[in-house]
Amino acid sequence: MAITSLWICLGVFICYVLLLSSNAIWHFCPKLSATLTGQIGDFIGGVCGTILTLAGTLYIIKTFNSQSKHSRKEVFETAFMEMLELHKQNVSEIKITISDNKEYVGRAAFPEFYNELETIYLATKDAITNFLNQDKSTKYDLFRNDEMLLTLSHQLSYGFFFYNIHDYVLTKDKNSPVYDITLEVVLRLNEDARMKDLKSLQRNILLGHYFRHLYNMVKYVDDSKETFNFHDREIFCNLIRSQLSDYEQILLYYNTLSPLGNAWINPLGEKEVDKMSLLCKYRLVKNCPFHFVYFGKHPGDTFSVENQVWKSQKEKFFETDLR
């Protein structure tokens, strides 16, 4: 349509130039000479030829850009489908055996991952609370705040879930109160009956590449701004989300509350969709179930700002209102 309009405009312009030239010739020069007509021809040829050359060049550039964009789209879509297939393979290869000697494969393992993480979180939060109640030192006052207590509980428990209680630390700074709290928590978890089968848990082996690949896939879509508009990118991310079960989305949410997955929700509390974090911009936990009993920080509270922003645009951040 744009090219057709360009040629029409050029045609009109050329006709206009010829008309002016014709009128001038007949008005001022009723008797034409070869010299005069030659000059007129050179003028018309020079002007029109330049314009046509320019138009041809612009057409070639536009065609090249169109073909280049089409090529980029094809490359992206091919790579995206390969990444999506690899995600499916990552899920299918997950296999765990828990204390009842029952084997869980693929997506069936994620409810078990959730149960393990919840148990570790509750034990960790109790350990931190008991320690703070016993040790009244003012250097721990920061963590007596409810919000900070929940934050530390999530950070430590997810690290323990991912790397086991003996290998994970939030800091190596021995002057930090977090260092002291972590040591005390580990001692208490070693004696907690709930942690009997979870002390040496190391789910990073199974979930590390799963979350890295998932993040890189969404980031790949988000980085395609020059090729796709937001609506198109949203469609691709909706396709990714459709591959995630409820428990996968819930586990992704808890992953974001730890330093290991913080990149998903940074920045948090952004009021412009374009500037939101990857998880919030593409609403990757949209299907978190309403009826679910969440431990620790509730998703509805964590994403309260983003939830309201999407509501103001007549869109849903969560499929059902979590509160």
Side-chain angles (χ1 to χ4, degrees):
M1 181 63 73
I3 297 300
T4 302
S5 300
L6 176 63
W7 283 113
I8 291 174
C9 291
L10 285 173
V12 171
F13 179 76
I14 292 170
C15 291
Y16 180 69
V17 171
L18 290 173
L19 181 61
L20 289 178
S21 300
S22 174
N23 289 335
I25 292 168
W26 289 110
H27 181 73
F28 294 106
C29 307
K31 295 182 179 180
L32 298 176
S33 66
T35 302
L36 180 59
T37 55
Q39 291 174 349
I40 293 172
D42 290 342
F43 169 75
I44 295 174
V47 173
C48 295
T50 301
I51 294 174
L52 290 173
T53 300
L54 177 60
T57 301
L58 293 174
Y59 177 76
I60 291 172
I61 292 173
K62 183 173 180 62
T63 301
F64 175 78
N65 289 337
S66 177
Q67 291 176 344
S68 177
K69 185 173 182 179
H70 180 71
S71 177
R72 289 198 302 271
K73 285 185 175 181
E74 286 187 337
V75 170
F76 173 88
E77 289 169 358
T78 299
F80 176 78
M81 296 309 296
E82 290 177 353
M83 295 174 80
L84 201 62
E85 186 60 33
L86 183 56
H87 170 78
K88 295 178 183 178
Q89 292 179 17
N90 287 340
V91 174
S92 65
E93 291 172 359
I94 292 175
K95 184 185 298 184
I96 62 172
T97 303
I98 59 176
S99 57
D100 60 3
N101 292 322
K102 184 175 181 179
E103 188 174 77
Y104 297 86
V105 180
R107 288 192 172 86
F110 282 85
E112 302 307 316
F113 289 145
Y114 171 85
N115 292 335
E116 292 170 346
L117 179 58
E118 180 182 29
T119 300
I120 297 173
Y121 170 83
L122 295 175
T124 299
K125 183 172 180 291
D126 287 346
I128 296 174
T129 302
N130 292 335
F131 170 67
L132 295 178
N133 287 337
Q134 292 176 7
D135 192 319
K136 302 297 184 181
S137 174
T138 56
K139 71 176 182 177
Y140 303 124
D141 283 349
L142 176 65
F143 302 101
R144 293 189 172 92
N145 173 279
D146 289 342
E147 182 67 20
M148 290 301 299
L149 175 61
L150 289 178
T151 298
L152 182 59
S153 299
H154 279 296
Q155 291 178 340
L156 282 178
S157 61
Y158 196 89
F160 295 153
F161 165 76
F162 224 57
Y163 292 110
N164 82 56
I165 67 174
H166 300 291
D167 294 336
Y168 182 73
V169 292
L170 279 173
T171 178
K172 292 184 178 181
D173 180 6
K174 295 184 178 181
N175 294 318
S176 169
V178 174
Y179 183 86
D180 295 338
I181 292 174
T182 302
L183 291 180
E184 287 295 329
V185 167
V186 170
L187 289 175
R188 293 165 189 266
L189 292 184
N190 272 318
E191 300 174 355
D192 194 318
R194 292 172 290 182
M195 295 292 295
K196 178 182 177 182
D197 299 314
L198 303 176
K199 295 177 185 177
S200 301
L201 201 65
Q202 196 170 18
R203 292 312 189 195
N204 171 55
I205 297 172
L206 295 173
L207 294 175
H209 67 289
Y210 168 87
F211 282 119
R212 283 192 295 272
H213 179 76
L214 185 60
Y215 178 83
N216 286 327
M217 186 161 46
V218 176
K219 188 71 166 61
Y220 181 63
V221 173
D222 188 58
D223 287 341
S224 65
K225 296 180 179 68
E226 294 184 1
T227 307
F228 298 100
N229 59 34
F230 178 73
H231 176 69
D232 291 335
R233 284 180 278 128
E234 196 173 29
I235 290 174
F236 284 116
C237 285
N238 287 345
L239 186 57
I240 294 174
R241 190 181 67 230
S242 70
Q243 303 300 310
L244 305 179
S245 66
D246 288 354
Y247 274 97
E248 285 179 85
Q249 292 185 39
I250 293 168
L251 202 65
L252 170 60
Y253 165 66
Y254 283 114
N255 172 268
T256 69
L257 299 182
S258 77
L260 302 173
N262 187 253
W264 282 106
I265 60 172
N266 185 27
L268 190 62
E270 180 58 57
K271 295 183 179 180
E272 295 182 38
V273 172
D274 288 343
K275 296 180 181 180
M276 286 182 182
S277 63
L278 288 180
L279 184 139
C280 297
K281 185 189 301 184
Y282 299 111
R283 296 174 285 178
L284 296 174
V285 292
K286 186 178 181 181
N287 306 117
C288 282
F290 170 79
H291 65 274
F292 208 79
V293 180
Y294 298 92
F295 62 83
K297 287 187 177 180
H298 195 284
D301 294 331
T302 302
F303 304 120
S304 59
V305 174
E306 289 82 359
N307 189 22
Q308 289 303 316
V309 171
W310 280 105
K311 280 185 177 180
S312 68
Q313 298 189 14
K314 309 301 181 184
E315 296 279 357
K316 293 181 178 179
F317 185 85
F318 296 110
E319 194 63 41
T320 53
D321 194 347
L322 295 185
R323 284 298 191 189

